[in-house]
Every structure is written in structure tokens, then in C-alpha cells.
Amino acid sequence: MDFMRKTFALTLALLIVISAGCLQSQGSKPSPTQSPTTSPITSNPPKKIIESISIDSIDVIYNEEADALIIYLKVRNQTNYTRIDGILNLTIKDKYGFLIYNGSIEVKKADFKPYIEEFMGLDDKLHNITYYKARYIIPHPRKGLARTGYIHAILIVGNQTLKRDFIAYNLPEMSDDEKKAYFESLYLNNSRALNISQKHGELQVEVYRYGIYTSPRDLKKYLRIDLRIRNTANYTVEIEELTLGPLVVDGYPVKEVDEKEYFLGDLEPGEFLKGFLLFPMSEIPLNHKNLILKLGVEEYLPEKEVLVTLDNLPIEISRWPFNITISEFTTGTVEFIGTKETVANVTVLVRNNKSVAEMISFLSWELSGESPSIDSKVPYEVPARSTAKAILVYYFDQKPDTWKLKILIPSTSRKLEFTITIPPLQPS
């Protein structure tokens, strides 16, 4: 009995202490002089761990047949590619900064496929590594000026952004003709039209355009001067050679470069040859005052055969450096030992317009198929700016119905010097 009373009393006392503690926690805070028997334990909520995104490499391959860029996005392991599900912004330029592509690609986890790559490890043994690669196709990209270049990539996944740069080795490159057409179009859009001409004799040099030009050969900038050489004569002229003195920029000579279009070939009356000259812009100050172009042209007149009918005299044939006039034509008969022959006499005046004597002994003459006889009197040379007379004597067994004279005029050449002042260049 006594044991049961003690146990009940202990239990009752314990309940009273617990009840008192509960009342204390629900009531007012303890006074400053009160100290809790234990210190309260506090903890921050766990943070959400954000998995990082990565790109091991981006490869660009241009497929010429399909005219498309193939983009390969590669990551090292499965964990990395499963984190990629977002937008990939790509800017691709060649090594000269020419823009090939600038746009966005939607990247999804399902795009990636595993593949095995073999490589030689440090221990000289072959190892296999599994990569995961996604392929994207960009049709009809712009063509650049070089195969190599740079890739700037920005991968956006949720609130994460990854920026990386890669080197490109197989970009679409223009052909030589495409580069030439591209830079020609660029030049034409920024060049300045001119109307400057200078004439010497039968040739006229015209500067009709100039400006800053980028050469597709070396991608350097040049001053380009576009010229025409026009034939104002009434006969064919051949341009044999074009020689340049320096381009004089404010008194300083600048030598032209080898890359130019030559003005060579045959020029019919009224026609012209076009071409351009290039001078390095690295030697031409942009604040220059004037440009003086010195140009030498060698005019070549090939041999020319002229056929005339001697029924309306005089006949004039203008051919630099000669002016030829058929002034008189007579016929008659002579008797040689019982036979009669027809005799024709042709008087030809030859004017030499040059400042030096000109040989004409090699001119050939033919009258109705017959060469002149030994009685012909043809001067060996014609003095400078003088006129000489040639008497051509022909003997015929039978008088022809029509008298036709064929003259072969010899080839000649001369050099002309042009000095053309061009306005100051206004660079774009």
C-alpha cells in the first residue's frame, strides 16, 4: 500500500511540472532576468542547387552541294547534354570579319545522339570516349572571303547564360569570280563619276570614274582610276602598250601596282577600250589637294590595204602619218618591136605628217593585178612634214575594162603623252 501511494504521488508531481511548463510557454515572455534552461536551435531552408550548363565544342562544316552550313554541338557526357534545353545564339564571321551567319537555334535534349571517338592517350594506347552531339542545318548562308573564321556562341537555358568562342575551319568562301563581282559592286556604289578628257592626235583619253577599291587579290585598299581610250580617227588603231609615269599626289609620286586591266587591242573608228589603274591607298594621304596622272600610250597602225577605182580623181587616203592623194591617172599605148602595149601612169602624192623623215620604199602598189614596172619613180623617203611625188608606170599586154589601184600602206607607231589632273578624292 505504501508503495502504491509513493508511486501515485510521484506521477502527480510530474504532471504538475509539465502543466506548469505548458502554461509558461503560452503566456508572456520571461523577464530579462529569466534565463531559459536551453538555447533555441534555428536553421535556414535548404537552397535549390542549379546545375551548370556546358559546351565542349561547336563545329561548322559547309556542304557546297547543298549550299548549307552544318552545325555540330558537342558535349562530353550524358549529364551535360540533359541539362541543355534552350536557345543557342550564333554569330559566325570569317577571319576578315565578314558576317557568315547571325541567328538563333532552338536546342533540345532529344537532339543529341551518342557517338564514339578514338584518340591516343598519354600511355600510347587507344581510348574510346563517348560524346553526345546534336546537328543543325542552316541553308544558304552568306559566303565569306576565307575558309577560316570565328564562332561566338551564347547558350541560354532558363536563367543561365553561357558564352563561348570557337575557331571555324570550313566556312563557305566566295569563288574568285564572286569576290571580284562583290568588290566591283562595292566600288561602283561608292565611287565618284568624272568627265575629264584629253586628246592627242586621233586618240582621246577619258577619266570617267574613280574611288577607293578593295582588291580581291590581297584585300588591300587602292585608289582606282577608270579610263577609256577612244579612237577618233576614221581608220583602225591598235594600242600596243600603256606606260605610266607616277601618280603625283601633292608633288609626291606614287607608283601604280601590277594589278590593272590593260588597254590593249584593236580600236575601230569611234570605239574605245576600257580599263583601270590601281595605286596603293597606304601611300596616299586622305587630305591631299590634287592628283596628277601621267600616262603614255603607244599607238600602232598595222599595215592597211586600200583598194580604189580610178574613175573620179583626186582620191585622198588619210592615214597617219601619211596623207596619200592619187592626183592623176593617164593611159596610152606604146609599140615594142611590132607589138603594142597599154601604158598607165599614176601620180601619187605622199604627205609625211611626222616631225622626222619616214621611209616609204616598202609601200607596194598594184594596178589591176599588175605590179608597177621598173620605170616607176618612188622616193626612198619623205622628209619631215613634207610631200613627195611618186610616179607609177604600168605596162599591160591587154587593156583592162576597169582600172583599180591597190595600195599597201606600211605599219607605223608613235607614242603619246597624257597628263590629267583629277579632283581631290572624297573617301567614303
Side-chain angles (χ1 to χ4, degrees):
M1 247 348 240
D2 290 339
F3 173 76
M4 293 182 63
R5 285 197 192 103
K6 290 180 180 179
T7 302
F8 176 77
L10 182 61
T11 302
L12 182 62
L14 181 60
L15 289 173
I16 292 172
V17 171
I18 293 174
S19 298
C22 290
L23 293 175
Q24 174 74 26
S25 65
Q26 294 176 2
S28 61
K29 294 181 180 180
S31 64
T33 56
Q34 293 177 324
S35 298
T37 56
T38 58
S39 300
I41 300 175
T42 60
S43 62
N44 295 324
K47 293 183 179 179
K48 182 180 179 180
I49 300 175
I50 301 176
E51 296 180 335
S52 62
I53 56 178
S54 67
I55 300 174
D56 281 277
S57 68
I58 295 179
D59 296 325
V60 176
I61 298 176
Y62 176 63
N63 187 305
E64 189 171 355
E65 293 182 1
D67 188 24
L69 274 182
I70 303 175
I71 309 294
Y72 290 101
L73 179 61
K74 187 167 67 174
V75 295
R76 181 65 62 92
N77 55 54
Q78 186 174 7
T79 304
N80 283 339
Y81 91 76
T82 56
R83 297 171 183 165
I84 300 177
D85 197 347
I87 299 296
L88 178 64
N89 296 322
L90 286 180
T91 301
I92 303 174
K93 297 181 179 180
D94 70 8
K95 66 179 184 179
Y96 298 107
F98 195 94
L99 182 65
I100 305 297
Y101 175 76
N102 185 31
S104 300
I105 298 174
E106 185 179 1
V107 178
K108 297 180 180 180
K109 301 173 185 178
D111 299 337
F112 290 86
K113 307 296 180 185
Y115 78 103
I116 304 299
E117 184 175 273
E118 295 182 346
F119 77 101
M120 187 71 71
L122 295 177
D123 54 359
D124 294 334
K125 293 181 180 180
L126 283 175
H127 297 270
N128 293 334
I129 292 183
T130 301
Y131 284 91
Y132 292 84
K133 185 162 61 175
R135 188 183 76 161
Y136 305 96
I137 297 177
I138 300 172
H140 312 302
R142 295 185 67 187
K143 292 182 179 181
L145 305 175
R147 285 283 183 186
T148 57
Y150 307 94
I151 305 168
H152 180 60
I154 302 176
L155 178 64
I156 301 174
V157 177
N159 61 353
Q160 297 181 80
T161 300
L162 173 66
K163 297 181 180 181
R164 289 203 63 184
D165 293 316
F166 302 93
I167 297 177
Y169 295 99
N170 194 356
L171 298 178
E173 182 181 5
M174 299 180 194
S175 66
D176 290 342
D177 289 341
E178 288 172 331
K179 290 178 183 178
K180 184 176 179 180
Y182 170 77
F183 286 114
E184 183 71 15
S185 175
L186 202 64
Y187 166 74
L188 293 178
N189 290 334
N190 296 285
S191 59
R192 178 181 177 184
L194 290 177
N195 184 20
I196 300 175
S197 65
Q198 189 175 128
K199 185 178 178 182
H200 279 306
E202 293 76 21
L203 291 186
Q204 180 168 301
V205 171
E206 304 167 351
V207 178
Y208 64 95
R209 185 171 52 223
Y210 77 134
I212 298 177
Y213 172 71
T214 301
S215 168
R217 183 180 65 174
D218 56 14
L219 301 183
K220 294 181 179 179
K221 293 188 180 298
Y222 295 90
L223 169 64
R224 172 170 155 178
I225 300 175
D226 293 348
L227 300 178
R228 283 189 290 257
I229 299 180
R230 190 182 301 274
N231 179 14
T232 62
N234 58 359
Y235 48 80
T236 302
V237 175
E238 182 180 349
I239 306 301
E240 268 200 323
E241 184 179 357
L242 182 72
T243 57
L244 285 173
L247 175 75
V248 181
V249 183
D250 295 341
Y252 175 75
V254 176
K255 188 177 181 181
E256 53 90 25
V257 297
D258 291 337
E259 182 184 356
K260 59 177 174 286
E261 289 189 0
Y262 286 92
F263 308 79
L264 304 179
D266 290 337
L267 267 180
E268 298 300 325
E271 292 186 350
F272 60 81
L273 296 171
K274 289 199 309 184
F276 61 78
L277 310 171
L278 296 182
F279 301 88
M281 280 301 299
S282 58
E283 298 184 28
I284 301 175
L286 295 179
N287 59 347
H288 65 269
K289 298 296 187 295
N290 58 48
L291 304 168
I292 299 176
L293 176 65
K294 295 184 179 296
L295 184 68
V297 180
E298 184 170 340
E299 175 193 63
Y300 171 73
L301 305 183
E303 290 183 343
K304 182 178 181 181
E305 196 173 72
V306 179
L307 182 65
V308 296
T309 302
L310 302 176
D311 56 0
N312 188 16
L313 298 181
I315 297 174
E316 294 186 358
I317 304 170
S318 178
R319 178 68 158 87
W320 189 93
F322 302 115
N323 285 340
I324 298 175
T325 303
I326 303 173
S327 62
E328 188 177 3
F329 173 58
T330 61
T331 60
T333 59
V334 295
E335 188 172 340
F336 288 98
I337 313 175
T339 62
K340 291 184 178 181
E341 292 186 357
T342 301
V343 178
N345 296 295
V346 182
T347 302
V348 180
L349 304 177
V350 181
R351 169 71 181 180
N352 177 17
N353 297 314
K354 294 184 70 173
S355 58
V356 295
E358 186 73 22
M359 304 292 186
I360 64 167
S361 60
F362 49 84
L363 271 68
S364 65
W365 315 79
E366 184 179 306
L367 181 61
S368 296
E370 299 287 343
S371 297
S373 72
I374 197 170
D375 293 338
S376 299
K377 298 176 181 179
V378 179
Y380 180 72
E381 68 177 28
V382 182
R385 304 198 186 282
S386 299
T387 301
K389 180 187 291 187
I391 305 295
L392 310 178
V393 181
Y394 297 86
Y395 292 92
F396 296 88
D397 294 332
Q398 184 178 357
K399 182 178 179 180
D401 296 331
T402 305
W403 296 98
K404 293 182 179 179
L405 178 64
K406 184 185 292 184
I407 305 174
L408 185 63
I409 304 175
S411 60
T412 58
S413 64
R414 63 174 177 173
K415 292 185 177 180
L416 304 173
E417 298 293 333
F418 296 85
T419 301
I420 301 172
T421 300
I422 302 172
L425 178 67
Q426 301 295 331
S428 57

